[in-house]
Amino acid sequence: MAMPTEFRIRVEDALKKDEVRTHFRKAMDTLMTNRRNQFPDEAELQRLRTQAQSIRANALSKLPELLEQLESNLVRNGVQVHWAETTDEANRIVLNILQQHNARSIIKGKSMVSEEMGLNHFLEQQGIEALESDLGEFIIQLDGETPSHIIMPAIHKNKEEIARLFNARFPHIPYTDDVDELTRNARAILRDKFYSAPVGLSGVNFAVAETGTLCLVENEGNGRMATTVPPVHIAVTGIEKVVEKLADIPPLFSILPRSATGQPVTTYFNMISGPRKPGEKDGPTEVHLVLLDNGRSTIYSDPELLATLRCIRCGACINHCPVYVRIGGHAYGTVYPGPIGTILEPQKEGLRVHGELVQASSLCGACGEVCPVRIPIPDIINRLRHDGVRQDGGSRTRDAGTRRKRLEAVTWRGWSWAASHPSLYHLGSRAATRLRKLMPQRLGAWTRVRTAPALAAQTLHERLKALGVDHE
Amino acid sequence: MNKARDNILQRLRAQERPPGSFPGRDFLSRHDWPAAECLQRFTERLQAVRAEVHHSSPEGWLELLVQLCRDKNLNNLLLSPQTRWGQAIYAQAGRFPKLQAYEHPIEDWKPAMFHGIDASLTGTLGGIAETGSLILWPDAEEPRQMSLVPPVHFALLEAGRIYSTFAEAIARQDWVTKGMPTNALLISGPSKSADIAQVLAYGVHGPKELVVLVV
Ligand code: SF4
C-alpha cells in the first residue's frame, strides 16, 4: 500500500478527536439553522442569489478595467495603490511601508489575504511584531495556531481551553472562564495596542471602482480600530474583490452576513474612501491598498474556473459541508478550508500539493446549493479531478496532469473498453455474480473502516429480463 | 512595482471575454412601509442586539438625555458644540456631565480620548428599518473616533429619515453624486463577538452601549 499522505494523516488524527467533532457538529448545526432562519422566503433568497451572482460576474467580466478605475479613484482620493503578483511581493510592499515609518509593530484587523501571504510569519522574521486583534484571531495567535474557519477562526476551541490559554499567557489577570470577563480582558489588552500601534492592517470585503471605496464587514470594531486609530492604514486584498458600482454593495452586504453566520446584519459596515483630509481631526494620514494576484489571474483565464473568483468569503459552504464538519479546518492544511478551499487552494498552490483535496468530497452538492453567488462548487471539484489526470494539455491549472496514476488509467481504460462491448460486459458481470463467494473481504483502504459490499446473485440485466423488461 | 501592475493587467486582458448578461443585477430592494412601521422595525432590530432605542420629540429629547446621563453615572460627554444638537446641549450645560468638545486633532489629546471619555454624542444621516442600522458620515465636527472609542455612544436620529433599506438610502441620499466621505459607516448595535465558544458577548473593541434617541 502507498504511504499515507500528510492530508490523510491529519484527517485520521482529526477523526479520532471525538470531543472536537461533537463541538464542530454543534457549531455547524447552529450556523445552518441560523442561516435558514434568515431566508424564510425562498423566492427572495433565490432572487438575491441571482443578483449577487450577477453583481460579481459583471465585475469579473470587466475586471482589468475596474481595477484601473478603482486605482485611479483611490489615487484621486489620496490612497496609495500597490500591485503584487506573488505573496512574497505583497509582504515586501508591506515591509517597505513599515520601514518608511520605522514601525516595529503592526496591529491587524481580520484578513484572510494576510493569512494567505503568511504575513505574520514574514514580519516576525524581520523582527516586527504582527498582532491580531479580531478576538478569534487573537486567541489562536496566542496558541500559535492558524484559523480553522474563515469567519470564526477559533471555532475549534471551547471556553475552558480559551480560559486556560488566557491564564497561561496573562498570568497577572485572575483566571476566569466567564465569556464576558474574557472578552473584557481581551478588550483591555488590545485597546492599549490600538492606542500605540504605528500601523494598522486590514483586509477588504468589497472594493467599489466607481467611488474608490474599500468596504469592511465586522462585528467587533477591531476593523474600525485598525483602520481609524493608527496613523497609517494598509489594506490588503485579492484583485477579484472589486465591484463596479456603489449600488452593487447593498445586495452583497445583505446576503453576506445572513449566509455566513445567520445574522441579519453585522454591527459595522465600514466604508473607507481615503486618508484624513485637511481639517479632519482623526483617521490615518496615510492609506495604502495592496492588490494581490497570487494565481488569481490564471484562474481568471479559464472560463469555467473563473466562477471561483465570484466568492465573497461568507463561509456558508464550509458550514454546510459534511466533510468539514467531520475533519475540522486544520486537517485541510490550507489557508482556506472546506469547499471553497477545496476548489481555491489547488488552483492557487497547484494540484501537486493540494490536488488531493478534490478527492475528499462526496459531491453531495450542499455547498453549491447554499453559495450566495452560486459558484458551482461540485462541478469545479469534478473539473479539478479531471485536470489532475488529464493529458490533453487543455487546462492551465497549475500542475495539470500530475496526479495521473498508471494503474488507475489502465483500469479505467479497460473498464471503458469492456462497457462498450456488450458480450464481454455480460460475460464479465455474470462471472462476477457467480463467483461472488470468492470476492476477498479485504479491499485495501476501503474495507479498513467498512465491510466489503456484497455482490448480488444475479446481474441487473438478468433480473430485468426476469421481470419482463426486454429492451435494454 | 509597476511591472507587477502591467503583468497582472496583461494577464487579465489576454483572454477574450464574451459579453455576458447579468440578470437581476440592477434590482433595487425597498419596501413600502409607512413611517410608523419603519420606526417599529428599526427599533425592534436594534433592541434585538441590545441597543437602547428611545422614542422622543424635538421638545423632549434634551430632558431625556439629561436623565440618561444621570442614570448611567457619566462623568463627561464628548460632543460638538457647533452642531444644532450640540448648541442645544451647551445652552443647558449645567444640567449635563462635563461637556467635552473634540477641538483638536486626535494626536493632541489621545490619552484623554482613550482613558478619560465616558460617552459621546453624534448626529446621524439616517436609519435603515430593515436591518436596524444608523448611517454616519463622520466629519470635522463629529470625527470618526467619536462613535468608536468611548464606551457609550448616544446617536440622534430624525424619525423622518428612516429608509426601508440600505439600497434605498444610498439612492435617495444620492451618495454617488455627492461623493463619498473619507469614512462612511453603518452601525447596527453595540460592538459584539461570538468568537469565544459561539457565546455572544458585547463591547469587544467598539462601544459597549449604543443609545439611539429618535426625534
Ligand atoms: S464559495 Fe460561496 S459559499 Fe463558499 S465562501 Fe465563497 S461565497 Fe461563500
Side-chain angles (χ1 to χ4, degrees):
Chain A
M1 205 166 68
M3 278 278 289
T5 59
E6 282 177 36
F7 175 60
R8 275 178 187 272
I9 293 168
R10 283 193 304 266
V11 167
E12 296 215 347
D13 282 350
L15 290 174
K16 279 182 208 139
K17 295 181 189 149
D18 286 349
E19 209 182 308
V20 183
R21 283 177 62 187
T22 316
H23 179 71
F24 265 102
R25 176 81 270 165
K26 258 175 55 192
M28 296 306 124
D29 283 349
T30 313
L31 287 164
M32 287 193 283
T33 311
N34 290 353
R35 175 186 170 276
R36 216 173 306 124
N37 292 341
Q38 281 304 318
F39 298 108
D41 180 350
E42 180 66 19
E44 194 243 6
L45 169 61
Q46 298 313 333
R47 183 201 61 70
L48 195 53
R49 286 179 77 209
T50 303
Q51 185 174 25
Q53 172 184 2
S54 290
I55 287 169
R56 292 293 303 129
N58 168 67
L60 292 175
S61 78
K62 306 171 185 160
L63 187 57
E65 292 75 29
L66 293 185
L67 284 170
E68 284 176 316
Q69 190 190 0
L70 175 73
E71 177 183 51
S72 72
N73 280 328
L74 281 170
V75 168
R76 189 204 57 212
N77 297 348
V79 177
Q80 302 177 46
V81 180
H82 313 262
W83 301 68
E85 290 189 80
T86 61
T87 54
D88 193 49
E89 274 178 31
N91 283 328
R92 288 192 185 282
I93 291 167
V94 173
L95 178 65
N96 257 330
I97 301 169
L98 295 179
Q99 283 169 343
Q100 280 165 25
H101 294 273
N102 288 318
R104 307 303 305 160
S105 70
I106 183 167
I107 192 143
K108 293 177 65 197
K110 192 169 158 33
S111 152
M112 284 308 294
V113 168
S114 78
E115 299 281 348
E116 184 179 329
M117 288 157 58
L119 178 68
N120 296 4
H121 179 68
F122 172 83
L123 289 180
E124 265 147 40
Q125 284 179 331
Q126 313 288 330
I128 294 172
E129 182 198 28
L131 183 71
E132 297 288 350
S133 66
D134 171 85
L135 189 51
E137 293 275 354
F138 175 67
I139 291 166
I140 58 169
Q141 190 179 36
L142 287 178
D143 215 4
E145 289 185 316
T146 53
S148 59
H149 190 288
I150 62 172
I151 305 285
M152 290 147 291
I155 196 154
H156 55 288
K157 280 190 156 15
N158 62 32
K159 192 173 71 172
E160 291 71 27
E161 267 178 279
I162 295 169
R164 283 196 298 274
L165 182 63
F166 269 57
N167 196 237
R169 294 288 182 277
F170 310 105
H172 57 284
I173 304 174
Y175 176 89
T176 174
D177 63 7
D178 179 272
V179 173
D180 285 328
E181 276 179 48
L182 285 167
T183 305
R184 213 170 309 143
N185 293 341
R187 175 186 175 103
I189 296 163
L190 288 165
R191 274 241 155 177
D192 282 347
K193 302 286 185 177
F194 280 122
Y195 177 86
S196 54
V199 177
L201 185 129
S202 76
V204 173
N205 289 94
F206 319 113
V208 187
E210 179 181 38
T211 53
T213 302
L214 309 176
C215 305
L216 268 84
V217 177
E218 58 145 350
N219 281 308
E220 296 182 1
N222 66 303
R224 283 187 68 197
M225 280 283 191
T227 59
T228 308
V229 176
V232 179
H233 167 211
I234 305 172
V236 294
T237 190
I239 50 172
E240 81 282 19
K241 289 278 175 70
V242 64
V243 297
E244 185 178 359
K245 291 187 180 301
L246 191 63
D248 287 332
I249 292 297
L252 295 180
F253 181 52
S254 171
I255 204 165
L256 173 62
R258 291 156 87 191
S259 300
T261 51
Q263 305 176 83
V265 68
T266 56
T267 300
Y268 300 115
F269 189 63
N270 184 2
M271 290 164 270
I272 298 164
S273 302
R276 184 190 308 194
K277 290 199 191 86
E280 291 180 346
K281 298 189 186 101
D282 62 18
T285 47
E286 235 180 85
V287 177
H288 297 263
L289 175 69
V290 181
L291 289 165
L292 174 66
D293 182 342
N294 192 28
R296 288 164 173 84
S297 55
T298 310
I299 301 176
Y300 188 78
S301 71
D302 186 296
E304 185 183 6
L305 299 175
L306 167 70
T308 313
L309 300 178
R310 292 207 294 261
C311 177
I312 56 171
R313 304 281 190 267
C314 71
C317 55
I318 303 176
N319 302 345
H320 289 74
C321 178
V323 176
Y324 176 87
V325 75
R326 284 170 176 80
I327 67 175
H330 288 146
Y332 289 80
T334 51
V335 173
Y336 303 90
I340 178 60
T342 299
I343 58 170
L344 186 61
E345 298 285 359
Q347 297 189 64
K348 266 193 317 108
E349 310 297 321
L351 286 159
R352 223 185 285 269
V353 255
H354 291 314
E356 198 180 2
L357 293 183
V358 294
Q359 306 302 331
S361 167
S362 65
L363 294 178
C364 75
C367 48
E369 273 172 37
V370 295
C371 176
V373 287
R374 288 216 179 92
I375 300 174
I377 301 173
D379 295 348
I380 296 182
I381 290 177
N382 258 336
R383 162 67 196 276
L384 293 173
R385 284 181 180 180
H386 181 212
D387 282 358
V389 296
R390 74 199 286 175
Q391 291 196 311
D392 58 0
S395 168
R396 251 173 265 176
T397 306
R398 197 161 150 195
D399 309 329
T402 56
R403 301 195 71 80
R404 192 179 181 87
K405 295 196 196 89
R406 277 271 309 271
L407 180 64
E408 205 175 66
V410 168
T411 310
W412 283 112
R413 221 175 305 139
W415 167 261
S416 102
W417 188 68
S420 50
H421 293 77
S423 48
L424 187 75
Y425 185 85
H426 285 161
L427 187 71
S429 53
R430 208 163 308 150
T433 55
R434 298 309 182 275
L435 302 173
R436 68 202 165 107
K437 293 262 155 47
L438 299 179
M439 198 178 91
Q441 288 305 301
R442 288 176 187 282
L443 298 169
W446 177 262
T447 48
R448 259 200 311 133
V449 288
R450 301 177 190 83
T451 44
L455 286 178
Q458 288 182 311
T459 69
L460 182 63
H461 285 274
E462 289 170 332
R463 292 174 65 183
L464 283 174
K465 211 172 246 168
L467 284 172
V469 183
D470 59 3
H471 195 271
E472 286 175 1
Chain B
M1 286 292 151
N2 270 335
K3 203 165 143 278
R5 180 184 189 276
D6 294 346
N7 289 346
I8 292 170
L9 288 174
Q10 195 188 348
R11 277 199 296 275
L12 294 179
R13 288 213 166 93
Q15 201 67 16
E16 209 185 301
R17 286 164 288 154
S21 78
F22 307 103
R25 176 175 164 236
D26 295 329
F27 182 86
L28 194 150
S29 164
R30 55 178 302 284
H31 308 278
D32 287 317
W33 294 325
E37 187 175 354
C38 272
L39 178 60
Q40 191 198 340
R41 284 177 184 267
F42 171 83
T43 306
E44 283 170 4
R45 272 280 183 239
L46 269 171
Q47 284 171 341
V49 287
R50 258 205 229 170
E52 276 180 49
V53 184
H54 301 275
H55 296 173
S56 191
S57 62
E59 301 77 39
W61 71 271
L62 210 59
E63 196 56 44
L64 176 65
L65 186 63
V66 169
Q67 196 55 48
L68 289 168
C69 289
R70 229 175 264 154
D71 293 349
K72 293 180 191 296
N73 264 322
L74 301 175
N75 293 310
N76 52 43
L77 180 67
L78 176 67
L79 77 167
S80 161
Q82 305 300 329
T83 54
R84 246 183 312 127
W85 42 96
Q87 286 170 2
I89 294 169
Y90 266 88
Q92 302 194 22
R95 307 181 60 208
F96 285 92
K98 183 174 171 298
L99 299 180
Q100 167 83 45
Y102 199 137
E103 285 169 313
H104 304 291
I106 187 67
E107 288 73 19
D108 297 348
W109 70 293
K110 205 170 174 184
M113 170 62 126
F114 268 72
H115 303 296
I117 299 291
D118 285 359
S120 68
L121 177 133
T122 72
T124 60
L125 238 66
I128 297 166
E130 188 179 54
T131 50
S133 312
L134 296 165
I135 303 167
L136 272 81
W137 281 25
D139 57 14
E141 277 313 315
E142 295 183 334
R144 293 164 73 170
Q145 293 195 19
M146 278 180 77
S147 60
L148 178 61
V149 177
V152 179
H153 174 210
F154 292 99
L156 288 173
L157 169 65
E158 282 177 43
R161 284 191 168 200
I162 303 180
Y163 305 91
S164 67
T165 61
F166 184 21
E168 189 186 11
I170 290 181
R172 296 249 308 262
Q173 297 192 342
D174 206 2
W175 288 17
V176 175
T177 324
K178 253 188 231 160
M180 292 295 279
T182 304
N183 186 213
L185 292 162
L186 302 187
I187 299 180
S188 311
S191 150
K192 66 178 186 296
S193 174
D195 271 349
I196 302 181
Q198 291 83 60
V199 178
L200 201 54
Y202 288 88
V204 192
H205 298 294
K208 299 175 185 178
E209 292 180 46
L210 174 67
V211 188
V212 183
L213 276 63
V214 186
V215 177

